[in-house]
Amino acid sequence: DTGVSQDPRHKITKRGQNVTFRCDPISEHNRLYWYRQTLGQGPEFLTYFQNEAQLEKSRLLSDRFSAERPKGSFSTLEIQRTEQGDSAMYLCASTARSSYNEQFFGPGTRLTVL
Amino acid sequence: SQQGEEDPQALSIQEGENATMNCSYKTSINNLQWYRQNSGRGLVHLILIRSNEREKHSGRLRVTLDTSKKSSSLLITASRAADTASYFCATDTGTASKLTFGTGTRLQVTL
């Protein structure tokens, strides 16, 4: 399968714990995006990488959130000291340099904070 | 924050009928895209239309864009039960920029 993959697909954690999600983009795509989606809403932008450089961060990305893409391939999104309000679907997307910005999404990681 | 809204919020039709959903947005855009999302799953890219295009087709999908009205429509012809999903429009302001999504239309196609 050559699509965007995310791991894990589901994560249940207790409030105050740290969690980390991984995204593997389509191999030739140099741009990678993270979005968050809550129930009944459209996805909201969190952050964006071009290769290994993090070029934009949303105000939604509080200091408890950090994202990395160390070698310009896979990316990780870490949430520290999780809160119940962090419960959401976390979506990763990637796009190619040569495209018109068609972003291809992974299946998402559903986070539930108890 | 959401860029705009899809209309209607929910649509129920019978198989074989056409489904039309509309998207309005607030700011100038570079591209507008439509995505489908089955319940609890990731988003599937359907079609992209650039700001200098007015209409685009892909299979049973027809998308129109009216930049003067800041609106777009997605028409699905001859709908099937498998088209049951939520549909989102998403806009960007540049080739490498983030997408800003609408609130979505939930489409139910019954046999």
Side-chain angles (χ1 to χ4, degrees):
Chain A
D1 183 68
T2 57
V4 178
S5 62
Q6 291 186 247
D7 183 69
R9 295 290 303 277
H10 302 274
K11 179 70 177 179
I12 300 174
T13 192
K14 293 183 180 179
R15 190 176 54 186
Q17 299 294 303
N18 299 344
V19 294
T20 300
F21 310 140
R22 176 179 170 127
C23 170
D24 286 88
I26 294 171
S27 59
E28 64 269 24
H29 286 185
N30 68 323
R31 300 188 213 126
L32 186 149
Y33 302 78
W34 286 98
Y35 294 85
R36 181 173 71 185
Q37 185 180 26
T38 54
L39 201 62
Q41 299 295 312
E44 293 182 291
F45 170 76
L46 292 178
T47 190
Y48 151 55
F49 290 86
Q50 181 164 297
N51 300 314
E52 66 276 8
Q54 188 173 19
L55 296 186
E56 188 176 352
K57 291 194 290 187
S58 161
R59 286 173 293 180
L60 292 175
L61 215 65
S62 76
D63 56 6
R64 296 185 298 105
F65 287 70
S66 62
E68 294 183 341
R69 194 183 183 198
K71 296 182 179 179
S73 56
F74 73 91
S75 175
T76 57
L77 178 67
E78 181 183 17
I79 309 174
Q80 296 182 328
R81 305 182 303 281
T82 53
E83 301 172 357
Q84 287 186 324
D86 298 330
S87 295
M89 175 80 89
Y90 290 84
L91 295 161
C92 175
S94 70
T95 187
R97 181 186 294 115
S98 59
S99 80
Y100 285 112
N101 203 25
E102 294 98 332
Q103 294 187 17
F104 295 93
F105 283 78
T109 294
R110 181 167 295 284
L111 173 66
T112 302
V113 182
L114 301 176
Chain B
S1 63
Q2 308 290 167
Q3 160 74 291
E5 295 184 354
E6 277 92 331
D7 171 59
Q9 289 188 338
L11 179 61
S12 183
I13 59 174
Q14 290 191 318
E15 201 171 47
E17 294 181 334
N18 295 342
T20 299
M21 49 204 90
N22 304 294
C23 164
S24 61
Y25 56 91
K26 298 174 184 174
T27 63
S28 295
I29 64 169
N30 194 46
N31 303 300
L32 185 144
Q33 304 182 52
W34 285 91
Y35 287 85
R36 183 184 74 227
Q37 186 176 39
N38 292 89
S39 180
R41 312 283 289 272
L43 285 88
V44 174
H45 184 267
L46 296 176
I47 195 165
L48 178 148
I49 186 166
R50 289 179 279 164
S51 59
N52 61 355
E53 297 177 312
R54 292 296 167 258
E55 187 170 314
K56 204 161 183 181
H57 297 253
S58 176
R60 294 184 296 113
L61 305 180
R62 182 174 80 104
V63 169
T64 62
L65 179 64
D66 186 336
T67 53
S68 67
K69 295 181 179 178
K70 292 187 169 59
S71 67
S72 173
S73 68
L74 171 67
L75 168 68
I76 304 173
T77 59
S79 63
R80 305 167 181 169
D83 294 328
T84 294
S86 291
Y87 291 81
F88 293 92
C89 69
T91 57
D92 68 50
T93 56
T95 302
S97 73
K98 65 190 178 194
L99 297 180
T100 304
F101 285 82
T103 51
T105 292
R106 293 187 309 279
L107 174 65
Q108 176 77 43
V109 181
T110 56
L111 297 172

